[in-house]
Amino acid sequence: MTTDVSVKLTIADALGKLMKDGIPFRFEAFDGSSAGPVDASFTLRLLNERGLSYLMTAPGDLGFARAYVAGDLALEGIHPGNPYDAMVLLMSQLKFKVPTAPEMVQIVRSLGFGNLKPPTPPAEEHLPKWRRALEGLRHSRKRDAEVIHHHYDVSNRFYELVLGESMTYTCAVYPTLESTLEEAQFAKYDLIARKLDLQPGQRLLDIGCGWGGMVRHAAKHYGVKALGVTLSREQAAWAQEEIKRQGLDHLAEVRFLDYRDVTETDFDAVSSIGLTEHIGVKQYDEYFGFLHDKLKVGGRLLNHCITRPSNKTTTTGAFIDRYVFPDGELTGVGRIQVAVQDAGLEVRHVENLREHYAMTLKGWCDNLVENWDECLEEVTLGRAKVWGIYMARIAARLRAQRDELHHVLAVKADEHGDASWPLRPTWGS
């Protein structure tokens, strides 16, 4: 059938032309048009011209995020703190098709050429990559500090409300399906401590320590002298205060410091929990080489990070890059193991905690919903919406095995191959 480009489409009609299998949700636009099932579980409501311009100038998740964060695209029927059901439906049923050239001309003419001028992005959006390049090379010290500041130095109180008592922003380990988030975070730290075989009097280096959860756990429960470093000034200040409050300052310390500036060596163990995502795949060899040099012979390394099912280097997507983890990169666990081995460490155990991370994210979303009003006293509505959609989206990706989360446990053997390793794992489940 020939497309008559002179026929003007409504916004809903134009959206329908881009859908391969129809619109799986209810859609309503400011021009009065609508589409999709009337009994859908949620409704996407496009409120104004600016929202339309966001969608037209950045098709995909970036345009959606801009319109949603700015308040020009409303998600009705689902709490903004936990839009998990919407993310699952959009990921599983939303399928786009490539329009023909005449169809594209008809769509653009109908929606207005003026809407191809990009509006100013919401304040919550970070700089595009080309602008970040003006701040320094990718994963340079200056640029790493800036992107960490963008995500983590928001409000410690906001993080307390979302993350819970443990102030832990990494995947938990659930002993049972009924375990609470706090129980699961304790179990995660304890599992890592046992995998590292921590003993009283030993020294632990925790790279990218966040608010110091692993540092405090190792000191309090294992009698370990623990040093944590983070690029977030707010995290370091909170962590040091909590260390003193718990009377652990004779064993535990958190520094506001780039990990590359740690001068101490001969650690019995090194933990890297949720930092590899920020390092950059091209920096893996240097990173794991640095950790190798920090360990004494017989020392262990535990690397905990989000991974992809494929070992091909992948970016995190436009939404995550602009709103959540600028410059973040993910790849498969195989690529991580190669880098660990090439650094001279021996990989002894690998574990996938994919389902545990989906459960962790659900716990954070539940906290965000429960504390929504107080969260809005700490951050903008746009920032809170970013968190809701980001956490729900990653949870949905984990459930669908589009993302994973792995522990890689390695040891620094001596020159004769003696790794001081037991015949069977001793850390249990």
Side-chain angles (χ1 to χ4, degrees):
M1 177 182 292
T2 302
T3 299
D4 185 351
V5 299
S6 66
V7 175
K8 186 173 182 179
L9 303 173
T10 65
I11 296 174
D13 288 338
L15 179 62
K17 281 187 172 291
L18 299 174
M19 298 292 103
K20 187 175 182 180
D21 299 321
I23 302 175
F25 51 85
R26 184 64 179 170
F27 175 78
E28 298 177 0
F30 61 89
D31 66 350
S33 63
S34 60
V38 295
D39 59 347
S41 60
F42 68 92
T43 299
L44 274 179
R45 192 183 303 276
L46 184 60
L47 302 177
N48 51 46
E49 288 272 358
R50 186 177 67 174
L52 180 60
S53 294
Y54 278 136
L55 297 177
M56 290 180 65
T57 54
D61 63 352
L62 181 59
F64 175 90
R66 286 173 171 170
Y68 179 66
V69 171
D72 302 327
L73 183 66
L75 179 61
E76 300 178 354
I78 293 180
H79 194 287
N82 187 10
Y84 175 78
D85 291 339
M87 295 300 101
V88 170
L89 186 144
L90 292 174
M91 284 176 53
S92 62
Q93 297 186 35
L94 190 63
K95 298 178 181 178
F96 290 94
K97 66 179 181 180
V98 179
T100 64
E103 286 176 329
M104 182 57 72
V105 171
Q106 183 186 32
I107 290 171
V108 174
R109 287 187 61 180
S110 297
L111 300 183
F113 287 97
N115 288 315
L116 292 178
K117 180 181 179 181
T120 301
E124 292 79 6
E125 182 172 320
H126 196 56
L127 297 172
K129 291 180 180 179
W130 69 269
R131 287 282 302 280
R132 278 179 243 158
L134 301 178
E135 303 295 322
L137 295 174
R138 188 181 181 90
H139 299 299
S140 65
R141 292 168 186 254
K142 180 180 179 182
R143 187 160 158 181
D144 280 351
E146 174 56 33
V147 297
I148 292 298
H149 169 74
H150 171 79
H151 187 69
Y152 293 99
D153 292 341
V154 176
S155 160
N156 279 332
R157 179 56 184 158
F158 173 75
Y159 280 105
E160 289 173 350
L161 293 167
V162 175
L163 303 181
E165 184 179 338
S166 72
M167 277 293 272
T168 300
Y169 188 28
T170 47
C171 170
V173 174
Y174 284 77
T176 71
L177 292 174
E178 292 73 33
S179 298
T180 67
L181 176 62
E182 293 305 316
E183 291 169 341
Q185 290 293 14
F186 182 95
K188 180 269 295 296
Y189 285 133
D190 209 61
L191 176 62
I192 292 174
R194 286 181 278 118
K195 284 182 173 181
L196 291 173
D197 194 30
L198 296 182
Q199 304 294 330
Q202 289 186 337
R203 296 170 62 235
L204 167 71
L205 173 62
D206 187 34
I207 301 289
C209 67
W211 290 270
M214 184 66 208
V215 168
R216 294 194 304 277
H217 190 96
K220 183 175 183 178
H221 298 283
Y222 289 83
V224 168
K225 188 172 180 61
L227 169 64
V229 295
T230 173
L231 270 177
S232 167
R233 188 183 300 274
E234 293 297 321
Q235 286 181 336
W238 190 99
Q240 276 299 103
E241 184 177 333
E242 184 64 14
I243 285 170
K244 291 181 180 179
R245 189 188 73 80
Q246 294 191 24
L248 298 172
D249 43 328
H250 64 296
L251 287 174
E253 179 188 1
V254 168
R255 299 176 190 166
F256 170 53
L257 189 71
D258 191 300
Y259 76 88
R260 289 163 285 199
D261 293 327
V262 174
T263 58
E264 294 92 334
T265 58
D266 290 331
F267 288 94
D268 298 279
V270 173
S271 52
S272 174
I273 309 172
L275 180 63
T276 317
E277 299 91 331
H278 299 287
I279 293 297
V281 176
K282 291 183 179 179
Q283 281 69 44
Y284 279 3
D285 292 344
E286 178 183 349
Y287 178 64
F288 288 111
F290 177 87
L291 300 187
H292 169 276
D293 293 345
K294 292 300 171 184
L295 283 168
K296 63 171 53 175
V297 172
R300 298 185 184 186
L301 164 69
L302 188 287
N303 193 79
H304 163 131
C305 72
I306 304 170
T307 53
R308 286 276 168 83
S310 168
N311 286 299
K312 297 178 181 178
T313 302
T314 59
T315 59
T316 54
F319 164 64
I320 297 294
D321 183 67
R322 294 289 188 92
Y323 284 89
V324 187
F325 295 122
D327 288 344
E329 291 182 307
L330 299 176
T331 189
V333 66
R335 179 66 185 84
I336 293 170
Q337 291 183 80
V338 167
V340 171
Q341 290 176 315
D342 287 349
L345 295 166
E346 183 182 14
V347 175
R348 301 302 299 249
H349 187 266
V350 178
E351 182 175 6
N352 189 348
L353 298 167
R354 176 169 63 89
E355 293 85 356
H356 292 264
Y357 196 25
M359 294 171 68
T360 305
L361 287 156
K362 180 183 182 302
W364 293 340
C365 282
D366 289 343
N367 285 343
L368 180 56
V369 170
E370 182 178 351
N371 300 304
W372 184 256
D373 291 340
E374 191 172 351
C375 284
L376 293 184
E377 295 176 7
E378 299 294 325
V379 299
T380 64
L381 173 60
R383 178 70 64 188
K385 288 161 73 174
V386 165
W387 268 77
I389 198 170
Y390 146 65
M391 294 190 299
R393 182 175 183 265
I394 299 301
R397 288 181 59 85
L398 287 157
R399 294 290 187 189
Q401 207 214 340
R402 297 189 185 183
D403 287 324
E404 298 175 336
L405 189 136
H406 279 89
H407 277 188
V408 175
L409 179 63
V411 65
K412 183 176 181 177
D414 69 13
E415 59 183 6
H416 304 295
D418 183 2
S420 301
W421 202 268
L423 292 177
R424 298 299 302 155
T426 57
W427 52 82
S429 59

